[in-house]
Amino acid sequence: MRKSSILFLAAFFIILNRIPTLSESRSNQTSWTDKVAPEVLVAAQSGEVEYLVILREQASLIQARLLKSKEEKGAFVYETLTSFANINQKPLRRALDALRADYQAFWVTNMIWVQSDLEALQALAQREDVAKIAANPSVPIALPPIDFSPPSTQAIDGIEWNIDKIHAPMVWDLGYTGQGVVIGGQDTGYKWDHPALINSYRGWDGAKVDHNYSWFDATDPSNAIAVDPHGHGTHTMGIMVGDDGGSNQIGVAPGAKWIGCRNMDESGNGTPATYTACYQWFIAPTDLYGENPDTTKAPDVINNSWSCPVWEGCSDPEILLSVVQAVHAAGIVTVNSAGNGGNSCASVAEPAAIYEESFSVGATDSSDTITYFSSRGPVTVDESNRLKPNITAPGSSIRSSYPGNPEDRYVYLSGTSMAAPGTVTSSPPIVRQPMAKSDPASASLSLLSTSSRATSVPARPKMTRAPEIRLRWW
């Protein structure tokens, strides 16, 4: 009898220990939500929602540093990332198929874009291999106002003032116009056949066009023709390579070739997923069907005249960090506009300009004064206190190419979006062209000591943290 009582009590306590308390039960029910961005949870209450599933394990690219050439780095990064994603994502992709959810897998970072209902969202968040679920907000670009009238600074013998300001013609005279260099740009798109851009488009051979490996539309992969419904992208590309063979010498490197990726739709909205898709495509450009990736066709440098602001929904400032790190590891320079957040401290606050691997550019006017709209450092949104921007360049009243009728094919725009393109093609590709071709990402590190003067300007009196560094062309 006593033995039976003991056995009964033992069994009772075992069962009791397996029954969760009220607090434990609540914890088990809500713990999966800790992985999910709050805005995703809110949106999922009303129906299907799109989001980014970031897996726990990420590939290591540290060995890319040991490789000497850009070609070696690009091949290593592509093979490493694609192999890792193919193996690591299999279980999750099987689960997504079972859930009948729409999804797109990325390899540039171990991440999958998903669109599903709340039930599927919960099932994914509860998986051990899922680190977090981030929002994929639609982020509208802040397009600068168009000015069709010329400013007080006129073109100099057909060469625009911003081109002359950074002494690009002096470099041209040495025989370096960007020849042999491929420039990538991701923006609102590009009017490839603009008179100032057509001859430098890699897909144009002088008689016919072939958009394979030269164009990708991340907003609509089925779009096989390079377009720009806004004009912002066309304007930035003109600053990089624009030359119509006549009086419109608007580009810093007219001898370079360019390829483009559209990361914003007809409404001017981009998302972390479309930005990621463009970065991924640049590492290994594909044909128009998204097939046959080729790292040897990757650009040497990419211009990014856009941002993904926290205040517009990109709540995780590191959402694109591993992506940009992968591009850098592949030996590709990534140049970013610093942002137009104004002259207050710590206004460089948006991906991807905030990252160490991004070469971030602020804006100056024709008198070499930093513009009122140009964002300042340091970067505090990620608690790094990183010094940004890395350099400044002309970005006020810049004349460049624009879609439209013949009479308005050239307009004036202002912004750090106009400053970044000037450094894309006047830094490693032209100034240090031989070294840049073998490893442009490493060549960019020497830019600060060869083409600019740095001055340390405290952002406020008696600062206890690192001062803001402002760099300008000299």
Side-chain angles (χ1 to χ4, degrees):
M1 181 71 178
R2 184 175 181 182
K3 184 177 180 180
S4 299
S5 299
I6 292 173
L7 290 174
F8 173 78
L9 288 173
F12 174 77
F13 281 116
I14 290 173
I15 295 173
L16 183 63
N17 287 335
R18 289 180 178 176
I19 299 175
T21 64
L22 180 60
S23 60
E24 289 173 336
S25 179
R26 287 175 176 170
S27 176
N28 290 336
Q29 291 175 359
T30 60
S31 60
W32 68 270
T33 63
D34 295 337
K35 291 184 180 180
V36 185
E39 54 266 47
V40 174
L41 285 172
V42 171
Q45 305 299 321
S46 303
E48 288 203 342
V49 60
E50 63 176 282
Y51 49 88
L52 301 173
V53 179
I54 292 89
L55 282 80
R56 192 172 301 281
E57 295 186 22
Q58 297 289 329
S60 173
L61 298 175
I62 192 169
Q63 292 186 21
R65 301 176 185 175
L66 304 178
L67 302 175
K68 299 298 182 182
S69 70
K70 174 179 176 291
E71 289 71 21
E72 291 175 310
K73 291 175 183 290
F76 171 81
V77 167
Y78 174 76
E79 293 297 334
T80 299
L81 292 179
T82 54
S83 298
F84 184 87
N86 287 337
I87 295 173
N88 191 266
Q89 293 178 5
K90 276 185 178 179
L92 181 55
R93 290 201 298 266
R94 282 197 296 265
L96 287 166
D97 289 335
L99 291 167
R100 299 180 181 275
D102 292 330
Y103 67 91
Q104 175 189 357
F106 292 95
W107 52 258
V108 67
T109 188
N110 201 10
M111 179 180 81
I112 299 179
W113 172 90
V114 179
Q115 182 168 323
S116 76
D117 58 17
L118 179 59
E119 182 179 358
L121 171 65
Q122 179 176 349
L124 296 176
Q126 289 174 328
R127 295 178 58 92
E128 288 296 323
D129 55 354
V130 172
K132 61 182 176 180
I133 293 178
N136 188 47
S138 182
V139 183
I141 187 174
L143 294 173
I146 300 172
D147 185 1
F148 291 95
S149 60
S152 57
T153 304
Q154 300 292 330
I156 303 173
D157 297 327
I159 301 173
E160 294 299 323
W161 75 266
N162 55 307
I163 308 301
D164 189 65
K165 174 66 71 174
I166 61 175
H167 305 307
M170 294 173 60
V171 182
W172 298 344
D173 291 341
L174 297 175
Y176 300 112
T177 63
Q179 64 271 27
V181 173
V182 177
I183 297 162
Q186 59 166 314
D187 212 293
T188 59
Y190 303 94
K191 184 171 175 53
W192 72 271
D193 58 351
H194 188 286
L197 301 182
I198 185 171
N199 291 322
S200 53
Y201 180 50
R202 191 171 69 179
W204 175 252
D205 66 2
K208 62 182 184 301
V209 64
D210 182 359
H211 293 296
N212 287 290
Y213 298 98
S214 294
W215 167 254
F216 176 62
D217 190 336
T219 70
D220 181 7
S222 65
N223 179 19
I225 301 175
V227 296
D228 182 6
H230 280 84
H232 185 270
T234 300
H235 195 275
T236 60
M237 190 59 72
I239 301 169
M240 293 184 258
V241 300
D243 188 348
D244 66 353
S247 59
N248 292 293
Q249 294 177 273
I250 56 175
V252 179
K257 293 294 183 180
W258 68 271
I259 61 177
C261 184
R262 183 181 174 203
N263 62 18
M264 285 169 270
D265 61 19
E266 278 79 1
S267 300
N269 298 327
T271 70
T274 58
Y275 303 144
T276 298
C278 281
Y279 277 126
Q280 178 172 285
W281 183 80
F282 281 127
I283 293 177
T286 66
D287 59 26
L288 292 175
Y289 300 98
E291 303 292 339
N292 305 305
D294 189 346
T295 58
T296 67
K297 291 180 169 59
D300 298 294
V301 59
I302 304 169
N303 182 67
N304 301 278
S305 289
W306 53 270
S307 65
C308 191
V310 172
W311 52 270
E312 284 186 334
C314 290
S315 54
D316 182 0
E318 295 187 348
I319 187 64
L320 297 174
L321 177 57
S322 62
V323 178
V324 174
Q325 288 175 334
V327 175
H328 187 265
I332 302 171
V333 181
T334 59
V335 177
N336 286 77
S337 54
N340 303 321
N343 57 8
S344 61
C345 292
S347 51
V348 178
E350 302 161 359
I354 62 174
Y355 303 142
E356 182 70 28
E357 292 78 10
S358 297
F359 196 77
S360 307
V361 187
T364 54
D365 60 22
S366 58
S367 63
D368 265 344
T369 302
I370 298 176
T371 63
Y372 70 91
F373 55 76
S374 186
S375 294
R376 270 72 162 172
V379 176
T380 59
V381 67
D382 60 359
E383 301 181 353
S384 67
N385 280 330
R386 186 175 298 115
L387 299 178
K388 290 285 181 177
N390 299 97
I391 203 168
T392 58
S396 179
S397 295
I398 304 300
R399 182 177 180 269
S400 187
S401 47
Y402 201 79
N405 299 319
E407 63 270 15
D408 56 11
R409 280 181 173 167
Y410 299 91
V411 300
Y412 295 86
L413 298 179
S414 297
T416 57
S417 285
M418 285 67 247
T423 65
V424 162
T425 49
S426 58
S427 50
I430 304 182
V431 178
R432 303 183 63 81
Q433 199 160 346
M435 177 183 177
K437 277 306 296 175
S438 63
D439 187 1
S442 297
S444 67
L445 298 177
S446 62
L447 173 64
L448 301 184
S449 62
T450 59
S451 62
S452 61
R453 180 183 68 177
T455 55
S456 178
V457 183
R460 61 171 61 92
K462 298 181 180 180
M463 285 188 65
T464 57
R465 64 188 182 201
E468 171 192 1
I469 299 295
R470 299 177 182 174
L471 300 168
R472 61 184 65 182
W473 290 101
W474 195 247

